[in-house]
Amino acid sequence: MNLPSVTIKPADKTRRLLRGIAITGAIIFVIGLILEPTRAWGGYLIGFHYFTGLALSGALFLAVLILCGARWADEASFIPRVLSSRLPIAALLGLGLCLGISSLYEWSHAAVVEGDHILEHKAPYLNAVGFTVRMVLYFVFWIWAARALTRRFANPDSKRGQLLRSASIFMAVFAVGFSLASVDWLESLDPHWFSTIFALYTLAGIALSGLAATIIIVVFLARAGVIAPKASADILDDLGKITIALSLFWAYIWYCQYMLVWYTNMPEETGWFVARMRGSWEILTPVNLLLNWAIPFLVMMPKAARRSSSVLFRVAIVILIGHALDLYIIVEPSLHMSDPVIGFWEIGPLVGLLALFAIGVMEELSKLSRRTAH
């Protein structure tokens, strides 16, 4: 479906603000590389994963809508296409992350690997060359599958069978690639730890944050008159219901991972959670659950709340903040920080990359509206 014939012009003031934030974030990151390289790269990793997750969530939602035969989202079906358009930029950011391998991953240092039987056993997979090659392959396949999917979806002559085939291919490519990418980018920060459910946990995080981004865009377009008031209320109601489901799913996977590790009580598994549940880190765990599960789940239960653009918008903001906190809890304790430290080096790259994502989305919406107008 194409964007309705309404011109969307991002406010110059907003655009300048976002560009200023993105440039400031880049400057902070560069300064951080000189003064606090580990912390700066940690913030970059969080921002990169956040950026990539939002882009992937667009194609993921589109594939799910096609496979389920859902028609309720037709009025806003272009939004997932807009989100997935940021994948090429995410690929460039991924190549940038490869420059920080030595600062982030202990398995990249020969002196650390030597004599460590676990790391020596994983060395054929966990090495800088393999990490970089897989990074390239992930994005090559993701971009190819996402573009094939969105191109067919945008073509009114596409047959149902073609759409189903493209959606199925994307889901297969995404599932395998994202599972491995979760291990490479996040789980290998602590290469002695492993979890067979970790990829599903990170998937729940990007799905929930991608849904929150979609809600914000729907609210913005509804207020701009692009989506009819009645249609926007119905779409928001459905998005609110999905918010309830995904927040519950995220909490369920979080609990499953924690409960199974706690129950088995094996040192090679429990160490990851111990580092995140002692000292000041212990305070952040309930906050994480509050932002990603309790608030979205409880607030969205009444129908009136789900149909309120202002309520849903605020809940979406809470979820986006919660996802940033979730990634912070995943990344930072593995970088040998005894206590939580949130400063310029962590916030700058993250906020800068999110501003860059927002700029791209606004520009893409503007392009779509111009094409439709012509």
Side-chain angles (χ1 to χ4, degrees):
M1 177 175 177
N2 292 321
L3 191 67
S5 182
V6 176
T7 303
I8 301 173
K9 294 182 179 179
D12 290 338
K13 184 178 180 180
T14 302
R15 190 157 33 192
R16 287 196 298 269
L17 175 62
L18 289 173
R19 285 178 179 172
I21 294 173
I23 293 172
T24 301
I27 293 173
I28 291 174
F29 173 65
V30 171
I31 296 174
L33 291 181
I34 301 171
L35 302 178
E36 292 279 357
T38 300
R39 290 179 60 187
W41 279 116
Y44 184 91
L45 173 58
I46 294 171
F48 161 70
H49 194 279
Y50 206 134
F51 189 110
T52 303
L54 290 176
L56 283 171
S57 69
L60 175 63
F61 288 154
L62 190 58
V64 171
L65 289 173
I66 293 172
L67 292 173
C68 295
R71 307 296 300 175
W72 62 268
D74 280 355
E75 191 75 17
S77 57
F78 59 87
I79 295 176
R81 291 160 49 198
V82 170
L83 294 177
S84 66
S85 69
R86 300 298 90 199
L87 273 174
I89 305 301
L92 295 177
L93 296 174
L95 294 178
L97 180 67
C98 294
L99 300 176
I101 291 176
S102 62
S103 296
L104 290 169
Y105 303 100
E106 62 177 282
W107 48 258
S108 64
H109 301 280
V112 175
V113 175
E114 187 177 358
D116 189 315
H117 298 301
I118 293 178
L119 296 188
E120 286 179 343
H121 179 71
K122 295 182 178 182
Y125 183 86
L126 291 180
N127 58 77
V129 174
F131 184 97
T132 304
V133 170
R134 290 193 300 274
M135 176 76 75
V136 172
L137 291 177
Y138 297 150
F139 281 103
V140 166
F141 283 108
W142 286 340
I143 293 172
W144 165 73
R147 283 187 171 175
L149 175 62
T150 55
R151 188 166 52 246
R152 284 231 168 115
F153 187 80
N155 185 359
D157 297 327
S158 295
K159 297 180 180 179
R160 173 69 177 165
Q162 294 175 320
L163 286 174
L164 288 173
R165 186 161 50 251
S166 295
S168 300
I169 291 173
F170 174 81
M171 291 297 284
V173 170
F174 167 77
V176 175
F178 187 75
S179 296
L180 295 174
S182 295
V183 174
D184 286 358
W185 304 344
L186 299 180
E187 192 171 356
S188 74
L189 287 167
D190 189 345
H192 295 91
W193 180 72
F194 58 89
S195 169
T196 56
I197 204 174
F198 185 78
L200 191 57
Y201 175 68
T202 54
L203 169 62
I206 72 165
L208 189 57
S209 61
L211 179 64
T214 301
I215 289 171
I216 290 175
I217 297 174
V218 168
V219 172
F220 166 74
L221 294 178
R223 292 176 178 176
V226 177
I227 302 176
K230 176 62 169 64
S232 66
D234 292 338
I235 292 172
L236 288 175
D237 188 23
D238 289 323
L239 290 175
K241 294 173 184 175
I242 300 175
T243 300
I244 294 174
L246 285 181
S247 65
L248 186 60
F249 177 68
W250 178 90
Y252 172 74
I253 299 302
W254 185 96
Y255 172 76
C256 285
Q257 182 173 250
Y258 173 76
M259 183 271 292
L260 290 173
V261 171
W262 173 82
Y263 182 79
T264 55
N265 197 31
M266 293 189 291
E268 63 269 25
E269 294 183 11
T270 57
W272 194 86
F273 279 100
V274 169
R276 288 157 178 78
M277 291 189 171
R278 64 183 178 189
S280 300
W281 287 105
E282 188 176 10
I283 301 173
L284 297 182
T285 297
V287 175
N288 193 25
L289 292 169
L290 182 70
L291 297 179
N292 287 290
W293 168 63
I295 292 178
F297 181 78
L298 296 175
V299 173
M300 288 293 95
M301 290 300 286
K303 183 176 182 179
R306 296 196 300 272
R307 298 181 73 86
S308 170
S309 62
S310 59
V311 173
L312 210 52
F313 182 86
R314 291 185 179 93
V315 170
I317 294 296
V318 169
I319 291 173
L320 292 179
I321 295 173
H323 185 54
L325 176 62
D326 189 38
L327 288 174
Y328 178 82
I329 293 174
I330 291 174
V331 171
E332 296 299 335
S334 298
L335 300 180
H336 312 293
M337 292 189 178
S338 56
D339 288 302
V341 178
I342 302 178
F344 286 117
W345 316 128
E346 291 79 23
I347 296 176
L350 169 62
V351 175
L353 289 175
L354 291 182
L356 180 64
F357 188 90
I359 292 170
V361 167
M362 293 175 71
E363 293 298 333
E364 194 66 23
L365 286 171
S366 182
K367 289 179 184 177
L368 278 175
S369 68
R370 287 197 296 270
R371 290 174 196 160
T372 305
H374 293 142

